Structure formats: C-alpha cells, structure tokens
Amino acid sequence: MDLNVMIGGVLQQKRALDQLVESRKGKPRSEAILHLRTRDALLSVYAAKKNRANVGVRQVIIPAAYPPCELPFTSLKKMRMQDLLLDIHHRNDVLVVRVFGQPLESSSVQTCAAVEDEHGEVEQISIYHFGFARWADQTLHSGDVLAVKAPYLRSMVGGGAILSVYHPSDVFVLEQDHQLYPAKWRKSGSHVNKSAAQWKLDGNEALKDKNFHKANYYYGRGLSASDLDDELKCDLLRNKSCVELYLGQFDAAKTNALASLLNKPEEKSKQLDSKALFRAGRALYELSDYQEAKDAFQKALLLSPSDKDDQSQLKHTVARIKEETEGLFNFASISKTVNSSKNIHVDQASYLSRTEVRQTEGRGRGLFTTQDIACGNIVLCEKAFTVGDTPKDINNQDCVVSPSSKGLLWGGRTEAWFNAVRSIFNSPSLAPRLLALCVTCKCPGKVHSRMTETTVPIVDGVPVVDVFRVMEIIEANSFGISGSANNSNSTGSDLGMACAVFTRTSFINHSCLGNAERSFMGDIIILRANKDIPAGAEITVPYKPVDGDYHLLKSSLNMWDFQCRCKLCLAEEQWGLSRAHILLSAKSWEKDNPPASASGIKWARGLEASKASHISSVEEVFIDQLSDTYPEEIFAGLPKIGLMKRRLWLLKACLDSPAAGTMAYQIMEDHGLKMDFAVSATGETLVFDRSNAIFTHDLVECFQLMSRKITGGPNPFKKLALETYIIMNGSAVGYEK
Ligand SMILES: [Zn+2]
Ligand SMILES: [Zn+2]
C-alpha cells in the first residue's frame, strides 16, 4: 500500500465532501440522491453487503466535528424522519427508528443498518463506537428500536446521505417500556413484568455463557424490578459488579460491590462479603487506586483468611504501591514479560511523585521537579493511559480522516482513539486525567461545548463523551511505541507503530538541550535525568530525535505550535544558513560505505591502506564542510549535532588507530559535553559540564567502543558507557549484549 497515494486520495475525497456539504446544508432531505429511499431497495442492498470489519483498509471520512447532545430525553422533541434537513444537527430533537434487514459492521468502530420510523419513512444509519453499548447486546439486530438524540443526516461522498451517530451517548436501544417506544411497535408477551428473582436467574445464565453485556443488562433490570427486596438487591449488586469487572466498567464495579456488603456475622454472609470486597479491590486496582485496593483485599482476607485469590492480589497491590511511592521497578522482569508474552500491556504502577504540572512563563503548562534529581536517576515512570496496539495486518485497518486537523489517523492511533473513548465511557472517573491534556483546537468555529471541563456529565444514565475532543487529544499527545507485532521496519513507515498516551508525561515541553531522556518498555515510559536537576526546575526533553537540520526541526515543532528558544536554537538562528545538503550527501554516502569497509584495513593489517584512507578521507571532507557550519564564535560549548554521526563513523573505521581517543573526545564535544580536565585528567572518572549537552545513542556507542578498546589501566569509559546507556534506554536491560 502506498501511504501517500492513499492519504492524497482520501484527503481529496474529504475536500469534495466539504464542498458538497457546504452547498446542501439545511436543504430538505430530498436533495440527496434518492435511489435508496424505499424499504425494498434498502433490504436488498443490505442483504447483499458483507461485513467489512475484517477486510482491507477502511477509510472513514468524518465531515466536521460537533459536540454530543447533553439534553435528557425529557427535554427533546420527537421528530419525524421526513423533517430531517441535510447536514445540520437537529439539536433539540430526538428521532425514534426501528432497524430492519441485516445490520452490518462496516469497520471496527462502525455499524450500519437500514431503519424506518413510525410513519414508514426509511433511511440508513451509521453508528460509531456501538460496541460500548450499555444495553443487552453489543451488536445491532433487526427489530431493535433506537432513539437518536440530535439527529444528523449527513451527505456522503457519493452524493447520498446517511443518518450518522458518532458520540456513544447520542444513541440508545429502547426497551418496550421506555416512554419513547412507539405503541404500535410494542410486542405482546414482553418481559416487562418479570420478578427480580427471575432477572437474577437470567443474568446468571448469561454470565455462565460469558455474555457479559446481557448479564449486566439483566441484573440491572432486576435492580429496578418492583418486587426487589434487600437480600436480592445485594445479590444483584454483587453479581453485577462481577460482570462490570469483565466489561471494564470499573467505577460501577467498585460502587456496586461495596453497596452489596451485608456486614452480618453469619458465615454465609462473610463469604459473600469477601467475594464482593475482592471485586471492589480488583476494580480499584484497575483504576490505579492501589491504597484503597489494598484496603479492600485486606478486609476480604479478614473474612476468609485462606482465600488464595485475595492473597495473590494483595501481593500484587503491595508491589504497585512500592513502585508508586518509592519508584522501585524490576525492569529486568518487566522487559522479560514484554518480550516473552508479546504483550505490550505491562502490569505496573506509575511513579510520578517527583514531578508536578505547573504554569510556565510563556509556554503554557509544563512539568516541574518537586525534589532534586541526580543525573541518571528516574524523573518519572508512567504507565500509558491508553494504548493502541499495532494492527496485526497493516492491510487490514481503519484510517480515519480527522475532522479537525484534516490529517489521518491510522493503525495504532485509530485504535488508541477507540480505546480512550471506551475507557472514559466505561469508567468516567478516569476522564479528568485525559481531558486535562492540552489541545489547540483547529476546528472551524467553536464546536466543543466543554473545552475546558475535564469531567464528563452523565445524562439519561450514560456518560457524555465528546469523541472528537478525545481524537484531538490523541492527535496532539500520542507517542509512537513499538507494538506487539513489530512490523514497523518492514513497511518503512510508522503504519506499524503502536500508539500510547501518557497523561503526565504529555505536559513536558520541548528543549533541544533537554535535561531528561525518555525511553519505553511495553506501555510504560521511563524518564531519566541526563544532568542534575534541582527541585522546582522545569523538565524538558527533545521531542524529535536529534538531527543537524535545524530548519527541519523548526518546521516539525511548528506542528505543536511551538518555538524553541534554547541556546542551540538561538545560535542556529544567528548562523542562519542551512546545512541540509551536506547532511544529505553524508548520510547517503555512509549508507553505501559502512565503517566496516574501512575499519581494520589500514591500521590493523597495513593492507589496502590507500583504499581505507580514501574512504576515510571522504568522511573527513564531510566533517570539514560541516565544521564550517558551526563557527566557534557562535557555537562555542554547544552541541554540533550534524557532526556527531560523521565522527562516530570515523571512530568506528579507525578504532585501532592511536587517534581514536582524540576522536572520542571530539564526539563528546559534538554533544556539548565539556570535560573538566582539572578534575578528571586521570583515574576512573571523567567529569563533565553537562549543562549544554545533549545525549544520543551515538554517544552511548562511542563510550562502549572506547570502553572495550581500553584494556588494563584506568578505564573511565566503562562507567560512562553504562551510565549513559541507562539514561538513554531507561534501564541496564540488554547492556551486556
Ligand atoms: Zn476541535
Ligand atoms: Zn532548541
């Protein structure tokens, strides 16, 4: 798949659609193409269509962002399908429709169906995020009756129109006893009058079949049955909390488990309460509330001291608390789990207490230290809020045209969007962590009603999540991490990357001369200080891997609406000229001439000296040309990024030469590391002024090469190599290899 062709094509479609929408907005529904306006036409089309959720690359084009409806049913007016106008949101209305024919999944986030209203008018509907449904079933069936809040009939690329629902709280599957359920569609023999006990049995049956949505729904119905007594209520709440755990509805699981406690002295009651406390503990654990989780497991163990599950969960929880409070992580074992299980989800707590979010001067919010952090130590270690894993097959995924930036979301990013919406929809107490993140909204007009609010309101029993706001947050704050199916190399693009959002780390601002380095292990990010950072200082990292092309860096920082004013950028501004052409030729030449083609020949064997020196001299010319772009009067003491890789090439080629030591020191200088010769002329330690330094994997390699080269006598590179490796990689895992 040629990504650029695909993006170009899909963006072109998007522009055509925008024009169509502009010309049709507010016009009657008859303006759209009419060929699917009969029941029979729709039935035959849907009978012929196949589910596309597992086939090919699916392009999802969203015309424009809009906020979810926040009005309850009681404030909405029931409207007729025939009164729908094209491409506008009927914000004060609700439309009740019935599904007919076979619905189909047109992508992993989208379900489509043919629907009719009470008056026999027909339309198609497409519903996003349907799978989060709070009703009996995750899939849509023929005969289901839907209430669509703020209905929106939008134009499609081909000229037709489709009722579209993007926000999960804008559509409900109605029960027969709902006030909006049309009387003429009611069936006899409905389950309206079931007893609470019968609902419980139905729920247990569904649970046995692992149909958690259905079980959850039945238990919920039982709880509102008219003959409910206290004992049944506790049973239903306890059972409901069990299925809610499976469904990822952790807020509800916690609340219902705790509400089910009997607190009676009988043995039977103790056993049931112990079960409920275990569920509360599990929910609290998943909500990262480890102290409360520990409390719940301990209480459960008091009631049933020999319970193995309680014991093992308590052990896990205590380990999380240690990570959270002391920053003690077993990176070797985490890395082993990630590599052996091919699972990027790591069961770890976040260690954040050394940092806090504060207002900066002139660059929005930033992250600051709350204590002194010595060079090499952990600044923070954060578990991702949400992760979108690598698509197993890059030719089978959803590409979503984001309505705000007109960019494209694909692979791990689509998945991360989907997962983030689901997790705050399922557990609204998690929403503030995500919604506090910074977004510069590029939507035309003011489309997000609650841009500054971080909680989600609950309307008609359902959390109201603005999926477009979540998408913007993902676009602005996601990191590419390596996914479980590591196919990023084979495609040469980041289509194969997984994507993660870290809600604390996202507040870090950029500086080319950052004081911390980030690395990833599964879905955790590790941040280590690359110099001593005093308490109260702002933490910064370079957003992009360093490259000597300043103009490229500047334009990519513009994506975040950010201008770097570090000493290096000021020097580059003063210098003003581009060195991109030299870098390009050097890089392409190095690709064809690996250092091994020159190494060892000249110095070790004295053979083919002319060839080796010829190759080296080409590299030396690049170095000379690049050195001229770093005049000392402007760049003194600052990193010379364009030179680092060239000099590392030379060091590798000439490692056996007596000049290797000098080359290594030059590489350090290229990184802005100023050696304090007075302190470190001899011995095992080299002392640097690191204040203007940058750190790279090239530097690690340079230290490792020198460390191996020096045999016998003091070897200052040995310690440096390990220290720098840990700073760059988060831990010493993999160092010996
Ligand atoms: Zn926006
Ligand atoms: Zn800078």
Side-chain angles (χ1 to χ4, degrees):
M1 171 179 41
D2 186 329
L3 185 64
N4 290 322
V5 171
M6 192 192 74
I7 293 178
V10 87
L11 290 182
Q12 202 177 349
Q13 285 186 19
K14 159 84 174 150
R15 277 191 296 274
L17 181 64
D18 285 346
Q19 279 173 8
L20 183 65
V21 166
E22 212 37 60
S23 67
R24 277 181 173 181
K25 213 171 205 168
K27 294 207 170 138
R29 168 173 172 255
S30 53
E31 290 275 316
I33 287 177
L34 283 169
H35 64 273
L36 288 180
R37 273 298 145 63
T38 68
R39 217 171 180 280
D40 287 345
L42 278 172
L43 266 178
S44 65
V45 165
Y46 273 81
K49 281 188 184 177
K50 291 253 157 54
N51 277 350
R52 292 193 60 221
N54 294 310
V55 198
V57 175
R58 298 160 300 271
Q59 296 166 356
V60 179
I61 299 178
I62 305 172
Y66 64 93
C69 178
E70 288 187 23
L71 297 172
F73 286 125
T74 48
S75 307
L76 295 169
K77 209 171 92 258
K78 199 165 165 180
M79 79 178 296
R80 288 181 64 157
M81 188 128 39
Q82 68 175 27
D83 297 328
L84 283 171
L85 301 177
L86 285 168
D87 296 306
I88 64 163
H89 303 274
H90 296 265
R91 300 214 66 92
N92 296 307
D93 299 290
V94 57
L95 181 68
V96 176
V97 293
R98 182 167 65 179
V99 176
F100 65 92
Q102 181 57 50
L104 67 109
E105 289 168 22
S106 43
S107 80
S108 60
V109 291
Q110 187 185 13
T111 299
C112 290
V115 290
E116 59 191 341
D117 76 355
E118 284 169 81
H119 311 280
E121 295 279 335
V122 296
E123 228 11 295
Q124 296 183 72
I125 191 168
S126 102
I127 306 173
Y128 282 75
H129 302 105
F130 186 81
F132 310 162
R134 285 287 173 87
W135 43 84
D137 211 321
Q138 264 185 301
T139 44
L140 205 55
H141 300 285
S142 182
D144 282 347
V145 173
L146 310 174
V148 181
K149 288 181 170 183
Y152 168 41
L153 184 66
R154 72 167 182 93
S155 289
M156 291 193 297
V157 174
I162 190 165
L163 261 170
S164 297
V165 180
Y166 293 95
H167 305 292
S169 57
D170 280 351
V171 63
F172 289 71
V173 175
L174 295 183
E175 287 310 318
Q176 298 216 33
D177 48 354
H178 195 280
Q179 78 251 23
L180 285 173
Y181 201 102
K184 63 185 280 195
W185 287 344
R186 285 212 175 102
K187 285 171 234 126
S188 54
S190 71
H191 47 223
V192 173
N193 291 319
K194 267 192 214 173
S195 68
Q198 188 55 48
W199 282 118
K200 181 183 147 187
L201 288 176
D202 288 354
N204 293 350
E205 204 56 41
L207 178 57
K208 223 184 281 166
D209 293 341
K210 291 201 158 48
N211 190 336
F212 303 120
H213 278 91
K214 211 165 217 162
N216 192 29
Y217 168 76
Y218 289 152
Y219 292 139
R221 293 288 298 194
L223 283 166
S224 55
S226 53
D227 66 334
L228 185 70
D229 62 32
D230 278 353
E231 195 191 327
L232 259 174
K233 183 180 171 190
C234 289
D235 285 351
L236 285 163
L237 286 170
R238 194 183 312 108
N239 292 2
K240 197 166 190 300
S241 73
C242 171
V243 294
E244 283 161 343
L245 268 182
Y246 281 110
L247 293 171
Q249 296 172 10
F250 302 119
D251 290 346
K254 174 192 78 176
T255 309
N256 290 334
L258 293 176
S260 79
L261 293 178
L262 301 160
N263 295 314
K264 289 188 188 136
E266 295 87 27
E267 193 51 35
K268 172 118 191 294
S269 146
K270 283 186 180 174
Q271 290 309 316
L272 292 173
D273 281 359
S274 152
K275 242 191 220 176
L277 284 163
F278 175 81
R279 287 169 194 165
R282 283 290 307 135
L284 286 157
Y285 187 100
E286 293 297 333
L287 293 166
S288 309
D289 194 342
Y290 301 113
Q291 292 291 352
E292 290 286 318
K294 181 181 161 195
D295 199 47
F297 291 129
Q298 281 175 334
K299 281 184 183 152
L301 277 169
L302 282 179
L303 297 173
S304 61
S306 56
D307 189 297
K308 290 272 182 303
D309 290 337
D310 280 329
Q311 287 166 357
S312 97
Q313 285 302 320
L314 180 61
K315 213 177 110 196
H316 285 304
T317 309
V318 169
R320 296 298 84 79
I321 292 174
K322 246 185 143 54
E323 290 153 7
E324 186 177 62
T325 55
E326 297 167 43
L328 293 176
F329 293 89
N330 186 343
F331 290 116
S333 112
I334 298 171
S335 152
K336 220 167 132 188
T337 313
V338 172
N339 292 328
S340 63
S341 64
K342 297 272 172 227
N343 178 6
I344 57 173
H345 297 278
V346 169
D347 191 7
Q348 294 295 137
S350 295
Y351 174 59
L352 305 172
S353 60
R354 287 177 167 174
T355 62
E356 65 182 5
V357 177
R358 288 212 317 250
Q359 208 60 32
T360 64
E361 277 172 38
R363 18 197 253 172
R365 288 168 297 180
L367 202 65
F368 292 79
T369 53
T370 56
Q371 54 179 264
D372 294 346
I373 301 175
C375 177
N377 281 353
I378 291 182
V379 174
L380 64 74
C381 191
E382 185 177 13
K383 165 115 173 108
F385 179 86
T386 200
V387 180
D389 201 356
T390 331
K392 281 190 194 71
D393 172 6
I394 61 154
N395 295 313
N396 173 17
Q397 57 168 314
D398 295 305
C399 292
V400 181
V401 181
S402 125
S404 53
S405 71
K406 303 202 159 89
L408 209 58
L409 247 70
W410 62 76
R413 287 179 117 199
T414 313
E415 188 78 14
W417 173 49
F418 189 57
N419 290 342
V421 171
R422 179 167 46 201
S423 67
I424 60 180
F425 186 75
N426 279 343
S427 307
S429 74
L430 296 173
R433 276 180 59 196
L434 187 73
L435 299 185
L437 292 185
C438 195
V439 160
T440 318
C441 174
K442 295 189 181 106
C443 300
K446 214 180 150 214
V447 298
H448 312 279
S449 49
R450 295 173 170 264
M451 211 49 194
T452 52
E453 291 198 30
T454 59
T455 55
V456 294
I458 311 285
V459 179
D460 291 324
V462 169
V464 179
V465 178
D466 183 337
V467 300
F468 299 121
R469 190 175 158 199
V470 173
M471 188 190 282
E472 282 177 9
I473 288 172
I474 302 284
E475 285 186 287
N477 295 284
S478 59
F479 291 84
I481 62 172
S482 47
S484 53
N486 198 355
N487 50 18
S488 53
N489 295 335
S490 58
T491 64
S493 74
D494 60 350
L495 265 178
M497 288 291 271
C499 161
V501 174
F502 301 93
T503 52
R504 177 67 68 94
T505 308
S506 272
F507 284 104
I508 296 183
N509 285 313
H510 163 95
S511 169
C512 306
L513 305 177
N515 51 16
E517 301 295 333
R518 59 189 179 201
S519 50
F520 301 92
M521 198 176 274
D523 64 346
I524 58 174
I525 188 168
I526 306 161
L527 217 72
R528 283 189 186 266
N530 65 26
K531 50 201 78 158
D532 293 338
I533 313 176
E538 186 177 0
I539 302 155
T540 52
V541 296
Y543 280 5
K544 288 254 153 191
V546 290
D547 184 302
D549 186 349
Y550 172 64
H551 295 90
L552 197 69
L553 171 76
K554 207 172 137 181
S555 67
S556 64
L557 287 178
N558 275 340
M559 281 192 341
W560 289 280
D561 296 313
F562 187 77
Q563 265 190 314
C564 185
R565 307 303 295 160
C566 76
K567 283 183 192 167
L568 184 57
C569 283
L570 294 179
E572 293 279 17
E573 285 291 331
Q574 197 187 336
W575 169 239
L577 298 177
S578 169
R579 62 181 72 86
H581 56 291
I582 314 175
L583 288 170
L584 272 178
S585 1
K587 277 182 211 165
S588 85
W589 183 84
E590 282 159 11
K591 216 173 137 200
D592 297 334
N593 297 278
S597 60
S599 84
I601 301 168
K602 186 175 177 184
W603 305 102
R605 288 186 274 139
L607 297 170
E608 294 188 68
S610 61
K611 187 184 165 202
S613 63
H614 169 69
I615 291 175
S616 300
S617 69
V618 175
E619 192 66 57
E620 278 160 22
V621 170
F622 289 131
I623 290 175
D624 285 347
Q625 289 175 344
L626 284 166
S627 296
D628 290 344
T629 70
Y630 291 105
E632 205 48 31
E633 64 271 23
I634 297 177
F635 288 93
L638 291 172
K640 301 171 180 72
I641 297 174
L643 281 165
M644 300 178 323
K645 279 202 190 302
R646 319 290 86 78
R647 288 231 170 88
L648 183 65
W649 187 100
L650 208 58
L651 176 66
K652 283 182 188 166
C654 309
L655 195 59
D656 297 322
S657 123
T662 315
M663 290 177 196
Y665 287 119
Q666 276 175 332
I667 291 172
M668 289 182 241
E669 269 186 31
D670 293 342
H671 283 79
L673 280 168
K674 226 165 73 195
M675 208 165 76
D676 191 337
F677 279 100
V679 187
S680 53
T682 57
E684 295 283 340
T685 316
L686 290 178
V687 178
F688 298 107
D689 175 0
R690 296 167 175 253
S691 49
N692 290 331
I694 59 164
F695 290 79
T696 67
H697 292 283
D698 295 333
L699 186 65
V700 177
E701 205 176 342
C702 163
F703 288 153
Q704 282 179 319
L705 289 170
M706 292 306 290
S707 162
R708 268 179 240 134
K709 179 183 158 69
I710 298 175
T711 47
N715 186 348
F717 290 102
K718 207 168 161 183
K719 202 173 144 203
L720 271 177
L722 179 61
E723 264 176 20
T724 319
Y725 181 92
I726 292 174
I727 290 173
M728 294 305 296
N729 295 284
S731 78
V733 174
Y735 181 69
E736 287 313 312
K737 283 176 236 159

